[in-house]
Amino acid sequence: MVDGSPGMSPTGAAEPDGELLGRIVTTATVNGVGTVLETPWLDERHDGSASRLPPRGPLDADPALTTTLLDVRARHSVHGCPVVVAGAVGPRHPCASEPESTVSSVADSYRRRICELAREGVDFISGRRVRTAIAAIGIARAASTARRRSAHSF
């Protein structure tokens, strides 16, 4: 899996978004390997503040970055070697870790972010470092509402 953060060239110089990712995807497909390109995930802290890792801006998804990842997929995918774009949701949403959280409350808390990612065109939702089964089910339900599948890491 490759995240969509701006990269560095082999010489250490910063590369425009997409060029390094395009080279990585091309290398993978030449070797018969599929690739998952993932948006940087949103880290929602328990105090209600939010920051992207790496910092990207407000709570809303970054449409320009998602567009870059979709463009890399369109230009570099080949038959038999899938290139998919995953929209990541962060692990630390306050609602997802509270003992009294319900599946419905978690789904409601993630729905806006997941729907934004779906509108931008991601292929599936990636639940990053999900801490509880309730959180995983809530994210999966919110993704289902947006007509996207989800995969989770614990």
Side-chain angles (χ1 to χ4, degrees), residues 87 89 107 110-125 138-150:
V89 293
Y110 278 103
R111 188 169 284 117
R112 177 175 161 232
R113 168 86 171 131
I114 289 171
C115 286
E116 288 172 354
L117 289 165
R119 277 192 300 276
E120 291 171 14
V122 301
D123 298 306
F124 71 96
I125 301 302
I139 291 169
R141 285 197 183 162
S144 175
T145 299
R147 297 187 177 179
R148 294 295 183 271
R149 294 182 187 268
S150 62

Side-chain angles (χ1 to χ4, degrees), residues 26-34 78 80-82:
T26 298
T27 301
T29 56
V30 164
N31 289 295
V33 178
V78 296
C81 294

Side-chain angles (χ1 to χ4, degrees), residues 6 8 18 29 44 52 67 70 74 76-77 79-80 82 84 93 100 103 105 122 133 144 146 149 153:
M8 303 296 278
T29 56
E44 294 179 339
R52 237 180 245 275
T67 299
L70 293 169
H76 298 280
S77 86
H79 180 70
V84 296
H93 193 281
E100 64 275 359
V103 169
S105 65
V122 301
S144 175
R149 294 182 187 268
S153 65

Side-chain angles (χ1 to χ4, degrees), residues 9 22 46 51 54 58 62 73 93 95 99 120-121 129 132 135 147-148:
S9 72
H46 292 286
S51 66
D62 184 350
R73 176 183 66 188
H93 193 281
C95 184
E120 291 171 14
R129 296 190 302 192
T132 67
R147 297 187 177 179
R148 294 295 183 271

Side-chain angles (χ1 to χ4, degrees), residues 46 92-102 105-106 131-132 134-135:
H46 292 286
R92 293 169 32 188
H93 193 281
C95 184
S97 60
E98 294 171 359
E100 64 275 359
S101 292
T102 65
S105 65
V106 173
R131 294 192 170 127
T132 67
I134 288 173

